[in-house]
């Protein structure tokens, strides 16, 4: 049998060839798969990108409609169904800003307001910049307003500040002392309440909505009342909500034109008219006495932009208040003081004599000096305008005796010499009459400051905590409170045992002196705690507690050729939560995101692309309006790869500006900033002027709309109207969104 065995060479060759062929085929298939996988993944990524883009387009449409036309309590629903990726909320990387200027031929730009450090850069090369005032906008859920109540306050009267759309349900109000809750209450829009503080020391009032808070000492006094929505250009307004104490009070309104005034008290509305006197250099004034048995809310609306003075307890001549100039700053050249019997205190913080004139009279104030004047002058009609040839402060006191103005009991914020606002780095007060003990409460408007008081008494100190403060007794003569280093202070002047004051929230109007002019970027302090490099939880806690701004408005004060502290322009910078659908394509890190009303994506290959631009309204003519949908997830919101249902609820809508502007800009956070700016200017392709003179805005006459800023490397666009004044309206819709997984 051994001899019968034969090797079949052909069979062996065939078997080996078959194995090699099979291996070759597998190798070829493997190589094909390796080369085709990126294409397959890219196709899958394209499917995911287009599918989620379509879903987020519907979300953008629903959100825009709710933001522009909804009322508080209105809601919208949307369902997002992921393909293979996951949906996540990102509160730290989404943001945008608008800027507007109020003076002709001036520009304003900003950067670095949303990067969580303690600095911000502004660029305004046309004139000298005196100061920058920053305010926390308190945007988003779980970011309450905080109001510090000094230990000298006897009680506070509060009411809800209505916006364009009033909140539907009650507002939660909490009173805390030393970090512990002492009182909790609910308040509706038309309601008011008083809180007795005589048995409580220094306290903090926190609210889920902005409030009108009036601090009272003793029997009250007089105070200047800011409108519910002050215009950023001059701080005048059309509506006020004032909690009136029991008894008699005076509402005194001043406007530059004829005024129709509606006053609603206890559901009874009275219509009043104020007309010009016809005399030169006079404004329109209107006084109305209100008598109520118990505390109630007075709602005042006017047809003309106005200012309001409130005086309570008419049986006594006490109370005083700092009075702003016609451009809104407290340091100015032109004033229209209240046309009520009283006394004006005029303070000159400068180094030269200032002469003030009015129709039929005048007075000079020495450098660093103070003068008192009975006001208004006898036999004059209408509210007289005061004109000065230099910077002065004006304080109105209820007393009719100029000699005793310093002895007037009352309380008011002392404006800063360097910023002309209610906070700053230098304050001067001349105590000319020591019959009434006067003092200052110096409180930190930042997170660190070294200060000193000079005059009759010498004191100094360092503030290292957000709530640091010191009560300083004022000696007779000149007293100067100054910041040696660090952040600004607020100075509350106290005198006697009575007073009335309209309180701002703690994050409002933190002003820093700049004092320079430059063609490039100017760096100034952001007087809040640094949060750069911190985690999302720490940042959210800082937003809630007010240690870092949730979003910020920046008011730039400078010279307009007449006044040194005119509001040149305003920047609004918003931290906006971003709903991001994250997926993988041929590379990781792809997303489709929804933020600020825009749908954007970086697919394919990290190329920024705008699917849906942010919504705005332009025209007819030189008009521009925008409502920013500020979506923020609630604490109970979910995220992940499952099917998610979104419940979007309108919380409130606020007017940020409704006034003529000379330049409007919009910027967007990268990586989508440049793409948004370029997308907005797509209509430029049809402009012959832009084709012939690219980048020359001054020669662009055949186009109205967004133009990408021609500067190098910017992520902003300019609303171009051929040099015409823009009727500018900016609103913010605060939307709370709850996302939850849909269970099968």
């Amino acid at each position: 049998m051994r001899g019968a065995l034969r090797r079949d060479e052909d069979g062996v060759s065939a078997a080996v060839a078959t194995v090699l062929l099979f291996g070759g085929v597998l190798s070829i298939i493997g190589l094909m798969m390796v080369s085709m996988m990126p294409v397959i993944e890219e196709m899958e990524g394209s499917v995911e990108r287009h599918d989620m883009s379509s879903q987020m387009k519907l979300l953008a449409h629903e959100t825009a409609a709710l933001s522009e036309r909804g009322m508080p309590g209105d809601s919208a629903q949307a369902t997002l169904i992921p393909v293979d990726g996951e949906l996540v909320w990102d509160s730290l990387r989404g943001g945008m800003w608008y800027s507007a200027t109020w003076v002709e031929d001036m520009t304003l730009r900003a950067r670095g307001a949303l990067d969580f450090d303690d600095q911000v850069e502004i660029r305004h090369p046309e004139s000298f910049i005196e100061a920058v005032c920053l305010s926390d906008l308190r945007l988003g859920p779980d970011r309450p307003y905080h109001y510090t109540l000094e230990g000298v306050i006897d009680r506070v009267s509060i009411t809800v500040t209505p916006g364009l759309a009033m909140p539907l349900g009650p507002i939660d109000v909490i009173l805390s002392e030393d970090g512990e809750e002492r009182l909790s209450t609910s308040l509706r829009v038309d309601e008011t309440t008083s809180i007795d503080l005589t048995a409580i020391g220094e306290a903090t009032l926190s609210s889920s909505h902005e409030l009108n808070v009036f601090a009272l000492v003793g029997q009250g006094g007089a105070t200047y009342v800011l409108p519910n929505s002050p215009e950023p250009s001059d701080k005048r307004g059309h509506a006020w909500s004032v909690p009136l104490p029991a008894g008699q009070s005076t509402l005194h309104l001043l406007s530059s034109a004829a005024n129709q005034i509606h006053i609603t008290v206890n559901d009874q509305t009275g219509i009043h008219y104020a007309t010009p006197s016809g005399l030169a250099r006079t404004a329109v004034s209107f006084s109305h006495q209100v008598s109520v048995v118990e505390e109630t809310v007075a709602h005042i609306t006017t047809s003309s932009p106005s200012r309001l003075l409130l005086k309570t307890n008419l049986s006594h001549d006490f109370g005083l208040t700092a009075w702003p100039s016609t451009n809104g700053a407290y340091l100015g050249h032109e004033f229209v003081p209240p046309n009520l019997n009283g006394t004006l205190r005029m303070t000159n913080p400068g180094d030269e004599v200032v002469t003030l004139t009015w129709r039929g009279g005048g007075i000079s104030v020495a450098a660093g000096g103070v003068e008192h004047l009975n006001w208004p002058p006898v036999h004059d009609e209408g509210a007289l305008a005061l004109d000065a040839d230099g910077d002065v402060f004006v304080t109105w006191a209820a007393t009719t005796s100029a000699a005793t103005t310093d002895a007037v009991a009352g309380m008011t914020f002392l404006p800063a010499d360097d910023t002309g606002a209610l906070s700053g780095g230098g304050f001067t007060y001349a105590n000319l009459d020591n019959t009434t003990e006067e003092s200052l409460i110096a409180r930190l408007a930042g997170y660190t400051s070294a200060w000193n008081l000079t005059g009759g008494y010498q004191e100094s100190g360092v503030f290292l905590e957000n709530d640091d403060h010191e009560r300083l007794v004022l000696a007779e003569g000149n007293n100067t409170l100054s910041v040696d280093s660090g952040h600004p202070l607020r100075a509350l002047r106290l005198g006697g045992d009575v007073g009335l004051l309209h309180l701002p929230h703690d994050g409002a109007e933190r002003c820093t002196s700049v004092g320079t002019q430059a063609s490039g970027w100017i760096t100034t302090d952001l007087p809040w705690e640094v949060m750069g490099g911190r985690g999302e939880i720490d940042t959210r806690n800082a937003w809630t507690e007010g240690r870092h701004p949730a979003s910020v408005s920046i008011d730039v004060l400078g010279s307009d050729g007449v006044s040194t502290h005119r509001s040149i322009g305003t920047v609004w910078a918003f931290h906006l939560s971003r709903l991001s659908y994250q997926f993988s394509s041929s590379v990781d890190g792809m997303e489709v995101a929804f933020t600020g009303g825009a749908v954007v994506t970086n697919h394919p290959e990290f190329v920024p692309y705008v699917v849906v631009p942010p919504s705005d309204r332009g025209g007819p003519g030189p008009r521009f309006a925008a409502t920013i949908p500020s979506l923020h997830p609630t604490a109970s919101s979910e995220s992940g790869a499952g099917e998610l249902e979104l419940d979007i609820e309108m919380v409130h809508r606020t007017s940020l500006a409704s006034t003529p502007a000379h330049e409007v800009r919009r910027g967007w956070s990268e990586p989508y900033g440049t793409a948004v700016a370029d997308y907005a200017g797509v209509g430029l392709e049809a402009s012959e002027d832009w084709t012939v003179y690219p980048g020359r805005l001054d020669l662009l006459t055949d186009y109205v709309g967004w133009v990408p800023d021609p500067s190098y490397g910017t992520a902003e666009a300019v609303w171009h109207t051929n040099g015409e004044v823009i009727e500018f309206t900016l609103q913010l819709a605060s939307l709370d969104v709850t996302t939850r997984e849909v269970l099968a």
Side-chain angles (χ1 to χ4, degrees):
M1 291 180 63
R2 181 178 299 175
L5 293 176
R6 291 185 302 112
R7 179 181 179 86
D8 190 346
E9 297 294 338
D10 292 339
V12 172
S13 298
V16 172
T18 300
V19 172
L20 292 176
L21 178 62
F22 183 70
V25 170
L26 290 179
S27 299
I28 294 172
I29 293 174
L31 291 172
M32 291 177 63
M33 291 297 294
V34 169
S35 61
M36 290 179 64
M37 277 303 296
V39 178
I40 295 173
E41 291 176 344
E42 191 65 34
M43 293 178 66
E44 180 185 358
S46 181
V47 170
E48 293 198 61
R49 174 256 175 104
H50 285 90
D51 181 80
M52 189 52 63
S53 294
S54 299
Q55 296 184 56
M56 286 194 174
K57 282 182 181 179
L58 297 177
L59 175 62
H61 175 75
E62 292 289 339
T63 303
L66 181 63
S67 301
E68 295 177 357
R69 296 186 292 274
M71 298 294 289
D74 289 352
S75 62
Q77 286 76 37
T79 301
L80 298 180
I81 307 173
V83 178
D84 194 36
E86 62 177 358
L87 288 158
V88 297
W89 283 100
D90 187 348
S91 300
L92 305 183
R93 292 193 300 154
M96 65 174 299
W97 57 264
Y98 276 91
S99 72
T101 58
W102 320 121
V103 182
E104 189 174 2
D105 296 329
M106 290 192 178
T107 63
L108 177 61
R109 298 171 61 189
R111 69 183 184 188
L114 301 175
D115 56 9
F116 300 104
D117 62 9
D118 62 346
Q119 292 185 333
V120 61
E121 292 180 293
I122 57 173
R123 190 168 186 173
H124 168 64
E126 289 83 8
S127 69
F128 196 84
I129 300 176
E130 292 285 354
V132 173
C133 292
L134 303 101
S135 296
D136 189 347
L137 296 177
R138 307 304 296 155
L139 297 181
D142 305 322
R143 297 172 196 172
Y145 289 82
H146 301 291
Y147 301 83
T148 295
L149 310 178
E150 303 293 351
V152 298
I153 297 173
D154 293 332
R155 66 189 186 279
V156 290
S157 297
I158 58 176
T159 188
V160 179
T161 303
L164 293 175
M166 296 184 180
L168 183 65
I171 304 303
D172 297 326
V173 180
I174 297 174
L175 180 72
S176 302
E177 183 184 15
D178 295 329
E180 295 191 9
E181 182 178 322
R182 293 289 301 271
L183 176 69
S184 178
T185 186
S186 295
L187 195 65
R188 293 187 179 274
V189 171
D190 289 327
E191 295 177 344
T192 182
T193 188
S194 287
I195 301 176
D196 189 354
L197 301 175
T198 53
I200 300 176
E202 179 192 336
T204 300
L205 198 67
S206 300
S207 168
S208 57
H209 193 86
E210 188 174 5
L211 302 174
N212 279 321
V213 179
F214 286 77
L216 296 96
V217 176
Q219 302 177 58
T223 185
Y224 167 63
V225 184
L226 273 173
N228 293 335
S229 297
E231 291 299 338
S233 57
D234 58 14
K235 308 302 183 289
R236 294 186 297 175
H238 292 270
W240 296 258
S241 297
V242 181
L244 297 177
Q248 282 192 326
S249 301
T250 293
L251 302 171
H252 184 68
L253 288 156
L254 292 160
S255 61
S256 58
N259 220 352
Q260 184 185 66
I261 302 151
H262 293 244
I263 301 177
T264 302
V265 179
N266 293 328
D267 296 327
Q268 300 294 320
T269 301
I271 302 177
H272 311 273
Y273 298 91
T275 57
S277 64
L279 300 175
R281 302 300 299 151
T282 59
V284 179
S285 64
F286 171 79
S287 292
H288 182 72
Q289 290 190 7
V290 180
S291 181
V292 294
V293 177
E294 59 183 15
E295 191 171 46
T296 188
V297 179
H299 295 286
I300 305 107
T301 60
T302 63
S303 61
S304 180
S306 307
R307 302 190 192 279
L308 173 65
L309 173 77
L310 171 66
K311 188 179 185 304
T312 62
N313 200 333
L314 304 184
S315 60
H316 294 84
D317 284 339
F318 51 65
L320 76 166
T321 183
W323 193 256
S325 65
T326 54
N327 61 34
Y330 287 91
L331 185 62
H333 284 65
E334 182 183 8
F335 298 81
V336 180
N339 192 32
L340 294 174
N341 289 333
T343 299
L344 297 185
R345 174 190 174 101
M346 293 159 289
T347 305
N348 176 13
D351 298 326
E352 298 181 358
V353 176
V354 174
T355 300
L356 294 94
T357 59
W358 59 92
R359 187 174 57 82
I363 192 173
S364 294
V365 184
V370 177
E371 293 291 340
H372 297 100
L373 179 68
N374 288 330
W375 195 264
V378 183
H379 307 307
D380 276 319
E381 297 180 1
L384 297 179
L386 273 176
D387 295 297
D389 59 3
D391 289 329
V392 294
F393 292 113
V394 170
T395 301
W396 182 85
T399 180
T400 55
S401 175
T404 60
T405 299
D406 269 348
V408 172
M411 63 178 174
T412 184
F413 282 115
L414 191 65
D417 297 347
D418 56 343
T419 65
L422 297 184
S423 63
F427 305 83
T428 302
Y429 188 81
N431 186 7
L432 306 180
D433 188 335
N434 216 22
T435 58
T436 297
E437 181 180 298
E438 296 183 87
S439 60
L440 291 180
I441 295 181
R443 181 170 291 276
L444 180 60
Y447 68 87
T448 177
S449 185
W451 56 270
N452 69 82
L453 175 70
T454 59
Y457 304 113
Q458 308 289 325
E459 292 190 51
S460 61
V462 177
F463 291 156
L464 297 175
E465 301 290 339
N466 292 334
D467 58 352
D468 275 359
H469 65 285
E470 187 79 23
R471 184 164 182 173
L472 308 170
V473 177
L474 297 174
E476 189 169 357
N478 287 328
N479 297 264
T480 300
L481 174 66
S482 59
V483 174
D484 292 333
S485 63
H487 295 139
L489 303 176
R490 301 187 199 275
L492 178 62
R493 180 268 187 193
L494 302 169
D497 56 359
V498 294
L500 176 67
L501 184 64
H502 187 196
L503 288 177
H505 68 87
D506 291 352
E509 201 168 319
R510 298 185 176 186
C511 302
T512 302
S513 177
V514 176
T516 189
Q517 180 175 1
S519 59
W521 293 97
I522 298 173
T523 301
T524 186
D525 288 340
L526 187 70
W528 281 275
E529 186 177 334
V530 178
M531 297 304 297
R534 307 284 287 274
E536 184 169 344
I537 295 178
D538 289 343
T539 303
R540 285 177 176 270
N541 290 336
W543 282 340
T544 299
E545 298 166 8
R547 292 183 287 110
H548 196 84
S551 287
V552 66
S553 68
I554 306 169
D555 193 18
V556 178
L557 306 179
S559 174
D560 63 353
V562 178
S563 177
T564 59
H565 286 72
R566 168 71 186 275
S567 178
I568 298 298
T570 306
V571 180
W572 299 269
F574 311 97
H575 286 287
L576 302 177
S577 295
R578 181 164 70 172
L579 178 59
S580 176
Y581 174 68
Q582 299 176 350
F583 62 97
S584 296
S585 180
S586 56
V587 293
D588 293 332
M590 298 292 98
E591 68 172 6
V592 178
F594 175 76
T595 178
V599 180
V600 293
T601 182
N602 62 351
H603 179 273
E605 306 300 338
F606 299 103
V607 177
Y609 180 77
V610 179
V611 180
V612 175
S615 61
D616 55 49
R617 300 284 185 267
R623 291 177 172 85
F624 177 81
T627 300
I628 303 167
S630 177
L631 264 73
H632 295 280
T634 59
S636 60
S637 290
E638 300 175 348
S639 61
E643 179 180 344
L644 293 181
E645 187 174 90
L646 284 70
D647 291 330
I648 308 167
E649 181 183 358
M650 164 78 78
V651 179
H652 66 268
R653 188 167 65 248
T654 305
S655 174
L656 299 175
S658 182
T659 189
H662 293 271
E663 182 193 69
V664 174
R665 288 174 176 260
R666 182 181 68 192
W668 205 272
S669 296
E670 292 289 11
Y672 300 107
T674 304
V676 171
D678 291 341
Y679 188 97
V682 66
L684 281 170
E685 297 174 356
S687 169
E688 295 182 3
D689 290 340
W690 193 258
T691 301
V692 177
Y693 305 106
R696 292 293 302 273
L697 289 175
D698 55 328
L699 299 178
L700 182 58
T701 61
D702 59 352
Y703 171 82
V704 172
W706 287 115
V707 178
D709 188 280
S711 302
Y712 176 75
T714 63
E716 58 192 74
V718 183
W719 184 258
H720 178 71
T721 58
N722 302 325
E724 295 186 64
V725 176
I726 304 167
E727 294 298 327
F728 176 59
T729 300
L730 184 63
Q731 299 178 11
L732 180 77
S734 183
L735 307 173
D736 286 357
V737 55
T738 301
T739 57
R740 60 177 181 272
E741 186 175 359
V742 179
L743 300 178

